[in-house]
Amino acid sequence: MFDSKPHAAHWGYFEALVKGGRVVGARGFGADPHPASLLESTADAVHSEARIDQPYIRRGWLAGRRRGALRGGDAFVPVSWDEVTRILAEETARTRAEHGDTSIFAGSYGWASAGRYHHAKTQLQRFLGMGGGFTSSVHAYSYAAAQTLLPHVVGTNEILLGRVTDWHAIARYAKVMVCFGGLAAKNGLVNSGGAGRHDYKLLMQRARQAGLRFINISPFQGDTEAELEAEWIPIRPGTDAALMLAMGHVLIDSHRYDEGFLSRCTTGFEQLRDYIMGEAEDGIAKSPEWAERITGVPAQRVRQLVLDCTVNPTMLTAAWSLQRADFGEQPYWMLIALAAMLGTIGKPGLGVAFGYGSINGMGTPRQELPAVAGPGIRNPVSLSIPVARITDLLERPGEMLDFNGQQIQLPDIRMVWWAGGNPFHHHQDLNRLLRAWSRPETIVVQEPWWTSVARHADIVLPATTTLERNDIASSSRDRFVGAMHQAIKPVGRARNDVDMLADVADALGFRDRFTEQRDERAWLRFMYDRWRQACLPMGFEAPEFDRFWRQGHVEVPEPDFGEEYTQFADFAREPEEHPLDTPSGRIELFSETIAGFRYADCPGHPAWIEPREWLLAPRARAYPLHLLTIQPATRLHGQLDTGRVAAADKIEGREPLLLHPADAKERGLEAGMVVRVYNPRGACLAGLRLAPGLMRGVVAMATGAWFNPEVPGQPGSLCLHGNPNVLTADIGTSSLGQGPSAQSCLVQVERWDGPVPPVSVHAPPPLEGRPVARAPARPAGT
């Protein structure tokens, strides 16, 4: 018999099945129509050989090889919790005293846990903030360029992250949905903070059954599910802005644009119009024929697409991936301009929004309620960098960085403290990062597993997984709040992030301020009761904490489906009464603010700016394949890479590379082969998988395979496992957004001849006093 415990992860609510003190499986949440297959990897991750069993310190750090020392190749020395707590307190105090509070970088991210209390980033920043402050980062790798741009254009990021027009409204009123970057079903498996229901796929299917016609504009036909019967318009990667401009040209040239809406609700159309028609600046008319040479989309198909959008009620959307490219701000800005020209913004079920194909919960009908929130505090240090500029931060102390109209002077980082994230997954150009990673004196990592960031740390603190502690799962995109019951005791000497930080705070003299003299249960009750009180004025009365904890979840009722939500409806109806939070109160098709920044790489209106890397660039002669890095279906970012679901998808233990059969034949390659993918930034091995639905000249790899350099600690070493970020460029999207531009990347692919080196990254690194472990071929139980 199994004991079962209610729990939650970013990939869904579930019951953890426990036997003999071990997690042995997971059962999907009863209210979830599509439990994620990722649940199958839960036990594998908790009991993985890659778990960190106790605190460790890098041998070279103990010997004084600190600043300037390449990390990743040293063995680790085991230490006690008492010893590592003392060392951390002393090192933190010394760094602050000698170099100031800005010399400490809290390099954390938010995907470690769906739980809101044991949220590693929140707790670490609370600790460092109480100690005096820290240099931080803003925005997210997923949509950083858009996060900066959209407040200038529509006054909010709700169009990107929040309550966008819901699927019921789209299904009822729209006849066409044009999807730049598709609507990938796999992305609907996850949601930050967890999901009681995976409704994303079901809602799309219902919209199709209601007669909605989908158009997928993407280099990959598989970016929409076959059952949606989407029309596929292949497009060269990175050229969406050119296609949108050409659509705008057709609307203007044929006088099909909505002059009334543009006059009432926008500003700056005249400047954009002159640019599109070639009457200003570069003198080039952005016609369909002009766009055909850039995008590969026939001019006649562009004209037909515009006709489809003008004779049918239309919803426009773009995946988050579109803006993770050179000058990624431009297609997002121009898509808003297109919706404004069509006059559909604010009309029931129509208009524009971003992210429907990027995460679960976008467009799911729900009441507007807050999420349960953890105990954050204000950072006394006001210095923040754009999240994707970490390497610049480490490489360029004292230099200036342009960002959203500001100039940020980069501090000299002496200490990096990381919890709840992995830059060797999220970041681009890992060989450049590895060199920059040598600059700090001390790098501290809190992590359950020997991931790449732990292997490249100085001080490694073993953190519990979510199943080894109690917490509350909550997301503003989901109708459920979940109780996360501790299922097992901590593995090895692992401790939760709060307890380990509280001990260091104690050594530094502020334990009581950090904990507020509450234990775990008291904090959970406090957070839940605060959320419950916040919901009351909004018309929802949640049960008291004890009842919630017993029953394992709270369900917020679905809204009345007769009242579908459409974003910007009030504004479109009465723009003077409901102005946007922009300088003009309107949609800014030309932004005086952005124009005033005088950025050559982001002018005052949407524009076509040729990418640095794309298929028509001179560099494509030597590297003729455009690499797209996609979100995996078999794990969450790098999480669960040790699990059976990810293992079953790999080819000879490597991450698959998708390639068109004709491109494979040209190179003498066959499905199942191990291949080498390379460019001047680096190289990795991958397993070849043929994909007829991929454009010629385009390859795709999922991110998240743990970085496994053949020679640890050596920049430029071949990644044996297939981490595509050894290939991607670490360049900001523009001076405005400074987001990651991973989707602008050219590579070449060749057959790997000779013995295939073993993947070793799922076993611990060299640990002093122990033999080097070897990773099994696949997790036990597969």
Side-chain angles (χ1 to χ4, degrees), residues 51-56 76 78 450 764-773:
R51 285 295 300 269
I52 303 170
D53 61 340
Q54 69 172 82
Y56 288 92
F76 287 89
W450 282 110
L767 306 176
E768 195 168 273
R770 300 190 197 181
V772 176

Side-chain angles (χ1 to χ4, degrees), residues 659 661-671 673 675 688 749-751:
L659 180 67
D663 287 327
K665 185 177 181 181
E666 224 174 57
R667 292 163 174 77
L669 305 176
E670 297 178 0
M673 282 183 171
V675 296
L688 186 63
V749 177
E750 65 182 12
R751 179 173 182 160

Side-chain angles (χ1 to χ4, degrees), residues 146-164 332 336 352 354 368 565 567-568 571 579-583 586-588:
Q147 272 183 293
T148 309
L149 170 75
L150 293 174
H152 291 292
V153 178
V154 291
T156 180
N157 272 317
E158 285 290 296
I159 192 174
L160 175 75
L161 303 171
R163 192 182 179 195
V164 295
Y332 267 43
I336 293 170
V352 60
F354 304 100
E368 195 69 4
Y565 176 75
Q567 197 171 38
F568 299 121
F571 164 73
L580 303 180
D581 191 17
T582 60
R586 301 180 178 191
I587 299 167
E588 303 227 341

Side-chain angles (χ1 to χ4, degrees), residues 245-485:
L245 286 162
M247 293 173 68
H249 186 282
V250 175
L251 285 170
I252 295 168
D253 194 51
S254 62
H255 301 284
R256 288 178 175 267
Y257 59 95
D258 190 328
E259 293 185 69
F261 183 87
L262 291 169
S263 175
R264 287 189 309 110
C265 297
T266 76
T267 186
F269 176 66
E270 294 77 12
Q271 291 96 321
L272 178 59
R273 178 201 173 281
D274 289 349
Y275 172 76
I276 290 173
M277 302 309 290
E279 296 173 7
E281 300 173 38
D282 60 8
I284 298 172
K286 311 307 181 293
S287 66
E289 288 74 20
W290 166 84
E292 180 176 351
R293 295 189 294 272
I294 294 169
T295 66
V297 179
Q300 186 52 41
R301 186 64 195 90
V302 179
R303 291 189 169 88
Q304 181 59 48
L305 181 60
V306 174
L307 184 63
D308 291 338
C309 294
T310 53
V311 302
N312 296 291
T314 299
M315 183 70 185
L316 302 178
T317 187
W320 290 343
S321 59
L322 234 68
Q323 48 84 65
R324 295 196 296 269
D326 287 347
F327 318 115
E329 296 85 0
Q330 303 310 314
Y332 267 43
W333 200 349
M334 189 58 211
L335 195 63
I336 293 170
L338 272 180
M341 293 168 73
L342 290 168
T344 54
I345 294 175
K347 289 185 177 179
L350 311 182
V352 60
F354 304 100
Y356 286 108
S358 301
I359 199 167
N360 188 59
M362 295 298 285
T364 301
R366 62 179 186 272
Q367 292 189 44
E368 195 69 4
L369 295 174
V372 177
I377 66 164
R378 186 185 65 84
N379 181 8
V381 171
S382 60
L383 181 58
S384 296
I385 63 158
V387 69
R389 302 276 57 82
I390 294 165
T391 301
D392 294 73
L393 172 69
L394 300 179
E395 284 180 340
R396 299 167 47 196
E399 296 185 29
M400 307 303 291
L401 176 73
D402 285 318
F403 173 53
N404 197 19
Q406 308 169 46
Q407 279 209 317
I408 301 170
Q409 185 169 25
L410 300 174
D412 187 3
I413 297 299
R414 299 301 181 111
M415 185 180 204
V416 172
W417 197 318
W418 212 285
N422 182 357
F424 288 87
H425 157 70
H426 271 102
H427 208 67
Q428 284 68 58
D429 197 347
L430 294 185
N431 289 307
R432 182 182 165 211
L433 174 63
L434 187 57
R435 295 183 188 95
W437 205 245
S438 69
R439 292 192 58 86
E441 296 170 350
T442 303
I443 297 176
V444 184
V445 168
Q446 299 166 207
E447 177 63 85
W449 300 278
W450 282 110
T451 60
S452 300
V453 68
R455 292 166 183 269
H456 291 86
D458 299 317
I459 300 174
V460 181
L461 308 177
T464 51
T465 66
T466 67
L467 286 153
E468 296 153 59
R469 60 206 189 205
N470 296 296
D471 214 328
I472 297 174
S474 180
S475 168
S476 61
R477 297 191 189 99
D478 193 66
R479 293 192 298 106
F480 292 82
V481 172
M484 300 169 63
H485 288 203

Side-chain angles (χ1 to χ4, degrees), residues 49 758-764 772-778:
E49 183 184 4
V759 172
S760 58
V761 72
H762 290 160
V772 176
R774 298 295 178 194
R778 57 173 48 211

